[in-house]
Amino acid sequence: MDRKFLLSINWPLVGVTAVLFFLGVLNLYSASGFRMEEGLNVDPYFRKQLIWGLMGLPCMAVFMLVDYRHLKTAAWPLFWLTVVMLVAVFFFGKTIYGARRWIDLGFMHFQPSEMAKISVLILGARLLSRDTGKLDFLQLGGIFGVCCLPVILVIKQPDLGSGLSVFLILGGMILYRGLTSRVLRTLIVAVPATLPLAWFALHDYQKRRIVSFLNPESDPKGAGYHKLQSEIAVGSGELWGKGFLGGTQSHYRFLPEKHTDFALAVFSEEWGFVGSMVLLSLFCAFLYQIALVARDAKDLFGSYLAAGVFFYFFWQILINMGMVLGLMPVVGIPLPFLSYGGSATLVNFCLVGLVLNVSMRRFLFKKV
């Protein structure tokens, strides 16, 4: 390996990623605990998360060391492989909590919708980097038309949160490239006008979540339970929090999904407003480093890859925090590095490796 590669590693990005993962495992240890008469019992979620992280390191190394320009060739095969796996979920998938989203690999439950985020990101970077200039209607329709197939398959599982994520990642990359003023004006009018139609495509439980978001007191023990308990946990942390392992909402099992979608509520309850601001600052530093790589990349493909990774993390952080604080409906999107999940953890490390790859090779060729 070229020694210059190792010297050019983006260490600030590596450092902030390591700190976020460490905080995530620490928080998961507390989130896995529940109080009994004999004391605090801890489920093994944090151990499994640690194993996913250790497995993620070699994945990150592969994504960092193999020249990212090879992904241009691999974009279409990876896309169709993802489509095949998403279809396979309907025939061989494992059903958990009423949703068929996972394929049982023996040692883990793999979620192909996470793979869909990566494949659409890479294909989107390839399609957007073919040309410069702002997108017109024809170009915009072509890109969205291709990527709609995995989005539809993910939503049919049903997994509205992941389907929405894929759509938002591509949307962010398109805005990064730019739209003609005519297209932009049309979308500003058309998108809000067509949103009410999406209501009829939602499942009943998804409609109940939206209704409970607008009026959680209408069903405090049902659809509004998650939102209300999360707000109570966050608010009870006050300025300094209750201290590590001191959370009552989580340890007495009032807070649902405390190790996955609502891991942030556990963190806020135990570390308070000050701790939450520190965590938010770490996420801002993490996104800032990725944005710098997108800006400084020496070719369009690398720049769009890094931009896609930026929007991948940006939307997940924004939507998860909005869910936990009661500012958005509950749509089942995890918080990167803090929420428990094998597939999501591996994908997170792979995408960080991809950004490091673009960052390391920025001196190899002239900027396009």
Side-chain angles (χ1 to χ4, degrees):
M1 179 188 300
D2 193 326
R3 188 167 177 270
K4 285 193 296 185
F5 284 178
L6 295 178
L7 294 176
S8 302
I9 290 177
N10 189 327
W11 291 110
L13 180 58
V14 174
V16 74
T17 300
V19 173
L20 284 170
F21 181 71
F22 171 76
L23 287 178
V25 173
L26 194 67
N27 186 62
L28 199 53
Y29 179 83
S30 181
S32 304
F34 53 93
R35 296 284 176 187
M36 300 182 71
E37 288 184 359
E38 59 269 25
L40 183 70
N41 279 14
V42 180
D43 285 330
Y45 291 117
F46 76 98
R47 293 195 193 96
K48 293 181 180 177
Q49 185 76 352
L50 200 55
I51 292 172
W52 303 135
L54 293 174
M55 292 174 64
L57 290 178
C59 295
M60 185 175 77
V62 170
F63 271 74
M64 181 175 70
L65 297 175
V66 178
D67 193 330
Y68 69 86
R69 288 171 292 179
H70 296 312
L71 290 175
K72 252 187 179 180
T73 308
W76 279 110
L78 182 61
F79 176 82
W80 289 116
L81 176 62
T82 301
V83 171
V84 169
M85 294 192 71
L86 288 172
V87 172
V89 168
F90 294 106
F91 297 97
F92 310 107
K94 186 175 180 63
T95 302
I96 300 176
Y97 297 130
R100 191 185 290 263
R101 303 174 184 169
W102 296 267
I103 294 177
D104 191 353
L105 299 179
F107 63 97
M108 69 176 290
H109 294 147
F110 179 69
Q111 195 169 354
S113 59
E114 294 295 331
M115 185 174 169
K117 296 171 186 173
I118 293 185
S119 62
V120 168
L121 189 160
I122 294 172
L123 182 59
R126 170 174 167 155
L127 297 175
L128 288 167
S129 62
R130 286 187 307 190
D131 197 4
T132 57
K134 297 182 178 179
L135 297 171
D136 56 24
F137 278 116
L138 188 61
Q139 294 168 315
L140 180 65
I143 294 172
F144 264 123
V146 169
C147 296
C148 270
L149 180 56
V151 171
I152 292 171
L153 291 172
V154 170
I155 291 176
K156 289 293 287 182
Q157 289 180 354
D159 188 353
L160 179 63
S162 294
L164 184 65
S165 291
V166 175
F167 187 78
L168 289 174
I169 292 167
L170 186 62
M173 295 170 70
I174 287 171
L175 289 178
Y176 182 67
R177 161 98 177 248
L179 300 166
T180 63
S181 57
R182 186 182 173 196
V183 174
L184 194 58
R185 285 198 303 270
T186 303
L187 290 179
I188 289 173
V189 175
V191 172
T194 55
L195 277 181
L197 298 177
W199 175 263
F200 299 102
L202 296 176
H203 292 270
D204 288 341
Y205 78 93
Q206 292 167 335
K207 292 177 181 176
R208 286 196 295 273
R209 284 181 178 180
I210 294 177
V211 171
S212 68
F213 163 69
L214 298 172
N215 183 18
E217 284 75 15
S218 65
D219 189 11
K221 295 183 179 178
Y225 184 78
H226 291 61
K227 178 177 182 293
L228 290 173
Q229 292 301 321
S230 175
E231 290 176 356
I232 292 171
V234 172
S236 65
E238 298 183 344
L239 184 61
W240 298 104
K242 298 175 181 175
F244 184 56
L245 299 178
T248 52
Q249 287 298 112
S250 57
H251 292 157
Y252 288 105
R253 300 184 174 183
F254 292 109
L255 182 66
E257 306 299 335
K258 57 184 182 176
H259 62 294
T260 54
D261 296 344
F262 291 90
L264 177 63
V266 178
F267 188 92
S268 298
E269 184 183 21
E270 297 192 344
W271 300 100
F273 177 78
V274 174
S276 299
M277 287 299 101
V278 171
L279 181 66
L280 181 61
S281 300
L282 286 169
F283 274 121
C284 288
F286 176 75
L287 291 173
Y288 177 69
Q289 287 300 321
I290 298 175
L292 288 181
V293 174
R295 186 196 65 180
D296 297 336
K298 296 302 183 186
D299 68 333
L300 286 176
F301 183 60
S303 181
Y304 284 116
L305 280 179
V309 176
F310 173 88
F311 285 110
Y312 170 89
F313 286 114
F314 172 79
W315 289 119
Q316 295 221 35
I317 294 166
L318 181 71
I319 294 175
N320 183 274
M321 288 187 171
M323 280 168 38
V324 171
L325 296 176
L327 302 176
M328 292 184 184
V330 177
V331 290
I333 290 184
L335 185 62
F337 301 111
L338 262 77
S339 295
Y340 171 78
S343 302
T345 301
L346 293 178
V347 168
N348 289 342
F349 277 103
C350 289
L351 292 180
V352 171
L354 190 57
V355 175
L356 293 172
N357 192 329
V358 176
S359 176
M360 289 165 64
R361 288 176 169 78
R362 64 185 182 275
F363 59 87
L364 282 182
F365 39 93
K366 294 181 179 179
K367 191 166 186 174
V368 178

